[in-house]
Amino acid sequence: MWRTGGAPRARGPLTPLFVGAVVSGAVALVVGLAASCGPDGGRPDARASSSAPAPSPAGTAAPILPPGYSPTEPVLDDSFADPAAVKVGDTYFAYGTNGGDAKMPVATAPGPAGPWTRSPGDGLARLPAWAEEGWTWAPEVVPPQRRGDPYLLYFTARRRDADVQCIGIATATSPAGPFVPREGEPLICPARLGGAIDAASFIEDDGTRFLLYKSDARKTAAIYLVQLTSDGLELAAPATRLLGRSGDEPVLVEAPDLVKRDGKYVLFYSAGWYFKPNYQTRYAVASSVWGPYEKGPAPIQSTDLYGGKIEGPGSADVLSDGTGDYLVFHGITEYHGGSRVTRPMYVAPLGWDGTRPVVRGVPARYEVEAARLNGCVSALPRPNASGGKAAGPFARDDCTVDVRVFAPVAGRYSVRVQYANRSGAESDLEVAVNGTAAGSVRLAATDGADWTSVTAQVRLGGGWNTLGLRRLSGAGRPAGKGQLDYLEVR
């Protein structure tokens, strides 16, 4: 995933060179002049990150989403692991780890969430002499920054003469390839650290180029940053270690991606084995590109956070365009024994609470007792409730709560209301969004210590919103008294 300082980066048998050339020519007809008119055609638009939380929506644009799209369903059904994506002209390009008949599969789409179509042939013309077939991982394509410059591909491959993986470089005149590798030694291959994988480009506001990667030995696995020459083809300085595994993270860290948001550097990375369900996406923030990086308190993607709808989400790449930010990543859909898994590509809109990334499709829970209560409603000890407390009872029409919730992007969301209603009668609650009535939910009567839920559909603005709930009665409405445990927004 390449990134500029002002915007996030977008991340078999040998196929003959002419096959890739045919693919390149076909795609060129789609990309047209936009891909050939200079660097601006391939660079994502900068978007400022969200400011501090506000009581009303931040007003971010609605993302481009095709009919039937779901952030928890693959956009490419077959394996397309370690995906990275860029936008060139009006076309989106995605690149993945080797699989099937391609060392580097390529897919295209009219929008970030698809529909995606695999391109025929192979995006990588061949491997350099130092690389072994069948081990081409985690591609990173960087569009040209100046007119006449090539597209750059950073890729991982295994050395023929040593049991280590290294990062090589290839160039092309089209985002579709074929990318032709540079011969000689790999660009990065720290043998004392067990090699290197997972290259990710970052370009500062002043044009300074960097490359991030992971050292490959398990015991010393860490994320490194190295400065490149202005053309991106050579190392300009020694590498610096940015971060390693923490005690609450599984096994190791890998798959870095760096963006700049709210004046800070936000480093995405994965933790764990890519072939296990506890693989997850995390982040860390720094004031300087060199760190120190302070890790976020918890994963932003995991099997548990998705409620099992996506297993082992990780290897995330931030794609940015004029419609907003998107997280491109893989998840596990099939296990074939050992480290062999099927990992298709997913795309989810990405929002920002300052420097905290928030992913569409990951539900967020808000404890109602911690919200703004108007006095008629109070926090009640309830040992069997989430957090040991609930809010209620909603005994009169002026009983209200205001819960501030965050939406990654503008759009329609489901709000799950966890409640108990032991009054013996049903109860209706109005649901308002930022002071405007948006619907209502009915709380059916419950028994004993049981808690249940009801779901409302609301439209939220991108950023912080206020969900208000108040009791409705009169005009034939029931007059029960409910208690609320939490709201879950997804």
Side-chain angles (χ1 to χ4, degrees):
M1 311 150 191
W2 75 279
R3 295 288 180 279
T4 61
R9 74 169 178 155
R11 225 177 103 63
L14 180 63
T15 302
L17 178 59
F18 73 86
V19 175
V22 170
V23 177
S24 176
V27 173
L29 294 176
V30 179
V31 177
L33 293 176
S36 61
C37 290
D40 291 341
R43 297 183 65 181
D45 297 330
R47 287 182 62 84
S49 40
S50 305
S51 59
S56 58
T60 56
I64 297 177
L65 303 174
Y69 162 81
S70 167
T72 58
E73 295 293 332
V75 295
L76 283 169
D77 290 335
D78 296 330
S79 194
F80 204 92
D82 304 310
V86 297
K87 181 186 180 186
V88 180
D90 293 327
T91 303
Y92 294 78
F93 294 81
Y95 311 89
T97 279
N98 62 205
D101 59 354
K103 293 176 290 301
M104 185 180 73
V106 180
T108 60
W116 286 91
T117 303
R118 288 175 180 266
S119 302
D122 198 327
L124 183 56
R126 56 180 170 79
L127 289 175
W130 59 263
E132 182 180 346
E133 290 286 344
W135 299 86
T136 313
W137 300 73
E140 169 80 330
V141 171
V142 185
Q145 303 299 293
R146 298 173 299 189
R147 185 186 300 273
D149 285 353
Y151 289 83
L152 303 180
L153 164 64
Y154 301 98
F155 63 92
T156 298
R158 185 179 295 278
R159 285 196 75 128
R160 289 181 181 274
D161 57 359
D163 187 22
V164 295
Q165 298 187 102
C166 308
I167 294 171
I169 191 166
T171 60
T173 58
S174 163
F179 285 85
V180 178
R182 185 178 63 172
E183 291 295 348
E185 288 297 302
L187 178 67
I188 298 172
C189 196
R192 66 182 180 85
L193 297 174
I197 66 172
D198 294 345
S201 172
F202 177 78
I203 303 175
E204 260 292 14
D205 297 326
D206 63 3
T208 304
R209 290 179 182 259
F210 298 91
L211 200 68
L212 298 98
Y213 62 91
K214 170 223 172 183
S215 58
D216 203 26
R218 175 181 173 180
K219 290 185 177 180
T220 58
I223 306 300
Y224 284 79
L225 177 73
V226 64
Q227 186 173 334
L228 302 176
T229 54
S230 61
D231 58 8
L233 296 173
E234 303 287 348
L235 305 184
T240 295
R241 184 181 185 276
L242 297 185
L243 60 81
R245 171 183 175 267
S246 299
D248 64 339
E249 295 171 334
V251 185
L252 51 77
V253 296
E254 62 181 18
D257 189 29
L258 186 63
V259 302
K260 199 172 184 180
R261 286 291 174 272
D262 217 24
K264 300 292 182 68
Y265 298 84
V266 183
L267 173 61
F268 291 78
Y269 65 95
S270 296
W273 292 123
Y274 69 85
F275 52 87
K276 292 192 174 182
N278 66 348
Y279 198 60
Q280 57 195 239
T281 304
R282 292 181 170 248
Y283 76 101
V285 180
S287 297
S288 164
V289 70
W290 300 107
Y293 283 84
E294 181 179 352
K295 293 185 176 182
I300 58 170
Q301 288 184 301
S302 70
T303 301
D304 288 343
L305 286 174
Y306 278 110
K309 290 185 176 181
I310 302 178
E311 288 198 15
S315 198
D317 175 80
V318 181
L319 167 65
S320 187
D321 65 8
T323 71
D325 291 342
Y326 302 83
L327 203 64
V328 182
F329 61 100
H330 70 228
I332 303 170
T333 55
E334 295 180 72
Y335 296 87
H336 307 287
S339 62
R340 296 180 301 113
V341 289
T342 298
R343 293 174 291 164
M345 184 175 91
Y346 297 77
V347 176
L350 175 66
W352 298 90
D353 175 15
T355 57
R356 180 178 70 96
V358 185
V359 186
R360 182 74 197 263
V362 176
R365 180 175 293 189
Y366 301 88
E367 298 291 343
V368 177
E369 70 272 9
R372 187 171 65 191
L373 311 178
N374 74 340
C376 173
V377 173
S378 60
L380 307 170
R382 292 291 183 266
N384 59 338
S386 172
K389 292 183 179 180
F394 285 76
R396 305 194 308 266
D397 289 358
D398 60 345
C399 291
T400 64
V401 297
D402 288 323
V403 184
R404 299 184 66 240
V405 301
F406 190 85
V409 293
R412 198 157 190 81
Y413 289 79
S414 295
V415 178
R416 178 187 171 204
V417 181
Q418 183 81 351
Y419 76 92
N421 178 10
R422 304 179 182 95
S423 64
E426 295 178 329
S427 177
D428 287 344
L429 297 182
E430 177 190 76
V431 180
V433 177
N434 303 316
T436 300
S440 65
V441 292
R442 173 157 291 186
L443 311 184
T446 59
D447 296 324
D450 291 345
W451 292 85
T452 189
S453 65
V454 64
T455 300
Q457 301 294 324
V458 299
R459 182 167 293 278
L460 302 177
W464 285 95
N465 298 259
T466 298
L467 286 179
L469 295 104
R470 73 179 182 92
R471 199 184 84 158
L472 297 172
S473 65
R477 291 186 179 273
K481 305 173 184 179
Q483 304 172 23
L484 303 186
D485 187 359
Y486 61 79
L487 305 184
E488 191 172 80
V489 179
R490 66 174 67 212

